[in-house]
Amino acid sequence: MTGTNWQKSSYSAANNECVEIRTADGLVELRESDQGHLTLPTTPAHFAAFLQAAKAGEFNHHV
């Protein structure tokens, strides 16, 4: 699979417990930095919808 380099949020600083993201073969892939062998692929449209929902506070009741 070809893709871009993994990126993590600047909020993570030097912490190794963060979510990383990249694009690969037309998909968006997510992984936890401490579990790099496990990835979650999704479409750009689904990922955009997830980000919009998170920004709108739709998942705040899980905190």
Side-chain angles (χ1 to χ4, degrees), residues 2 11-12 27 34 42 49 59 62:
T2 60
Y11 291 105
S12 299
L27 295 174
D34 61 345
T42 189
F59 307 114
H62 294 289

Side-chain angles (χ1 to χ4, degrees), residues 3-10 12 18-23 29-33 47:
T4 58
N5 293 330
W6 289 100
Q7 296 180 18
K8 67 178 179 176
S9 170
S10 59
S12 299
C18 60
V19 174
E20 297 177 320
I21 185 172
R22 75 173 181 176
T23 57
E29 292 186 327
L30 301 140
R31 71 178 183 182
E32 291 226 22
S33 57
F47 186 65

Side-chain angles (χ1 to χ4, degrees), residues 16 31-39:
N16 244 8
R31 71 178 183 182
E32 291 226 22
S33 57
D34 61 345
Q35 295 288 324
H37 62 286
L38 301 173
T39 61

